[in-house]
Amino acid sequence: MTTHRTAPPDRDSAGVPGTALPGTPASLGGLPRPAQATALCAVWAATRVGMLLLLIVDHVGDSGVAGEVHTLYRHWYEQLGQGAFPLNDATWQYPPGAALVFLSPGALPWLTYFQAFVALTLAADAVVTLALAHAGTRGAWMWVCGLPLLLHLPFARYDVQVTVLAVLALLAMRRRPLLGGALAGIGAMVKVWPLLTLLGTPRGRTTRAAWLSAAASAAALLAVLSVGFTHSLDFLRQQGARGVQIESLGGTALQLARKAGWPGQVRYQYGAFEFIGPYVSSVARLSLLLTGAAFCWLLLWRVRARRWSAATPFDAAFAAVLLFTVTSRVISPQYLIWLVGLAAVCLTSRHTTQRPVALLMLPAAALSALAYPVLYDDVLGGTPLGCLIMVVRNGLLVAAALLSCMRLWTATAAR
């Protein structure tokens, strides 16, 4: 007989000792609620000012971090403003909902495109922080302290805006599945992966409501964008020929093979540095097979799962995104924004099985910042230091994915 054990509301009390993450001031867990809020705001403000300064200077390692907003995003903004999605553009690989993010700086006409984009990204960061702080202080500290480990990169990519949709979807799912599903559907139309937030919804009415709401919101947004823009589905043609990015798990294997005499080379294509040469296509196909295997495991878990807690939707979403990250042909450093955000959501619940996995995201984020932008020349050149960084970072992600799946299965599906 299938049982659904719904835990009582488990928002972590700001006044309960031990709610602070390791690495945050030790006394914060025992502070009263106003002091907790003040400390969180102070750390958020200090770290975000530092991130903004790094972005303005943009001279840490590879100095092109801000260039993507200045050139590529601005170019897309101008093209979308003419009522058409980028056509035959190998760098446009996003669902049509992403257009709303790239067009949004136009709502602040008194700022330059770059200034408006960064301001809106900072606002999205603040929304994530507030939502997590309302749900549980441990999650809020994870986000506030974890995001700066990626240096200024989060403010020069649109992944914070995607993460806010996924975080809000997960936090809304338990009490308002229609709202949670709608946010997940919109998020999927912006960058696909927020759809995975629906994976762990309890069977029955909640799942039906969430999935139907997600389908309806995604379909409605697609219909509106298809009416307002041409070539709305052209992005589907840009993914098939993707190779193996140097920062992916397969890319790390090829980089090590290169040190052993493999004749492959690195080339900039499809908006990333990818390997070309013998066996690259085989490695790319293997990555796709592993992604398919991950999807099959998630389906098996869904069928076999028998015990749900308040944290199960959070844990399942985190495990799923970890699996799809490590098996992808591309692991860009901004993917860690997603993982830090989902780890923070898991930590809002005392019932989570993912606490040790969530904490692994902190060194993984720091290593990702070392890989890009700090020591990107070493990663590109395949120096011993560059190879070491990628082996350790990707090894951490693989270990985190396996540990996450094991703990999820044990807590929900194992007898």
Side-chain angles (χ1 to χ4, degrees), residues 275-289:
F275 279 106
I276 58 170
Y279 310 113
V280 171
S281 59
S282 298
V283 174
R285 284 194 291 270
L286 178 61
S287 295
L288 291 174
L289 287 173

Side-chain angles (χ1 to χ4, degrees), residues 58-383:
D58 199 18
H59 286 313
V60 178
D62 188 297
S63 59
V65 173
E68 193 148 320
V69 181
H70 282 297
T71 56
L72 188 61
Y73 289 7
R74 171 81 189 202
H75 169 68
W76 287 339
Y77 169 79
E78 294 170 350
Q79 197 162 0
L80 291 165
Q82 298 173 4
F85 283 93
L87 181 63
N88 298 322
D89 184 347
T91 60
W92 179 258
Q93 301 147 13
Y94 309 110
L100 300 178
V101 179
F102 298 126
L103 286 171
S104 61
L108 305 176
W110 57 90
L111 300 176
T112 67
Y113 183 85
F114 177 78
Q115 292 169 342
F117 181 88
V118 173
L120 292 172
T121 306
L122 186 64
D125 172 24
V127 170
V128 174
T129 304
L130 288 172
L132 290 169
H134 180 73
T137 53
R138 281 179 296 185
W141 280 114
M142 176 73 186
W143 175 258
V144 168
C145 298
L147 197 66
L149 295 176
L150 292 165
L151 304 180
H152 50 306
L153 180 73
F155 290 161
R157 299 294 185 269
Y158 87 107
D159 296 85
V160 175
Q161 288 90 323
V162 182
T163 302
V164 71
L165 291 169
V167 168
L168 293 178
L170 279 172
L171 294 177
M173 201 72 71
R174 183 170 53 177
R175 293 185 176 88
R176 298 179 180 177
L178 288 174
L179 176 60
L183 290 169
I186 294 170
M189 289 299 297
V190 176
K191 208 165 186 179
V192 181
W193 71 264
L195 191 64
L196 295 173
T197 58
L198 301 174
L199 183 68
T201 53
R203 293 192 184 99
R205 182 181 303 173
T206 300
T207 291
R208 289 193 297 272
W211 278 98
L212 288 174
S213 180
S217 64
L221 182 56
L222 178 60
V224 170
L225 292 171
S226 298
V227 170
F229 300 88
T230 59
H231 313 301
S232 58
L233 297 180
D234 189 68
F235 77 99
L236 293 172
R237 299 193 299 167
Q238 309 302 336
Q239 291 289 327
R242 288 299 301 265
V244 178
Q245 190 224 22
I246 60 170
E247 295 165 72
S248 67
L249 191 62
T252 299
L254 290 173
Q255 192 72 279
L256 294 175
R258 196 179 174 194
K259 303 297 286 185
W262 175 68
Q265 300 294 325
V266 175
R267 176 188 294 174
Y268 186 78
Q269 56 186 15
Y270 300 100
F273 285 98
E274 298 182 346
F275 279 106
I276 58 170
Y279 310 113
V280 171
S281 59
S282 298
V283 174
R285 284 194 291 270
L286 178 61
S287 295
L288 291 174
L289 287 173
L290 289 174
T291 299
F295 182 72
C296 291
W297 184 88
L298 290 168
L299 287 180
L300 177 63
W301 168 80
R302 177 74 195 188
V303 171
R304 292 288 301 276
R306 292 293 180 269
R307 298 182 297 277
W308 260 263
S309 73
T312 300
F314 306 162
D315 296 352
F318 185 38
V321 175
L322 266 171
L323 280 176
F324 281 105
T325 297
V326 299
T327 60
S328 174
R329 294 173 292 175
V330 179
I331 304 181
S332 297
Q334 57 264 30
Y335 289 14
L336 269 294
I337 300 172
W338 318 343
L339 295 173
V340 170
L342 293 177
V345 175
C346 290
L347 292 181
T348 63
S349 174
R350 65 172 63 93
H351 300 286
T352 184
T353 63
Q354 302 295 307
R355 187 169 289 109
V357 187
L359 296 179
L360 286 177
M361 296 303 101
L362 298 176
L367 287 167
S368 295
L370 274 181
Y372 182 85
V374 178
L375 297 173
Y376 198 49
D377 287 340
D378 289 274
V379 174
L380 281 176
T383 67

Side-chain angles (χ1 to χ4, degrees), residues 366-404:
L367 287 167
S368 295
L370 274 181
Y372 182 85
V374 178
L375 297 173
Y376 198 49
D377 287 340
D378 289 274
V379 174
L380 281 176
T383 67
L385 179 59
C387 289
L388 177 63
I389 290 171
M390 295 318 305
V391 166
V392 176
R393 197 284 302 269
N394 287 340
L396 267 178
L397 290 179
V398 171
L402 295 176
L403 180 61
S404 176

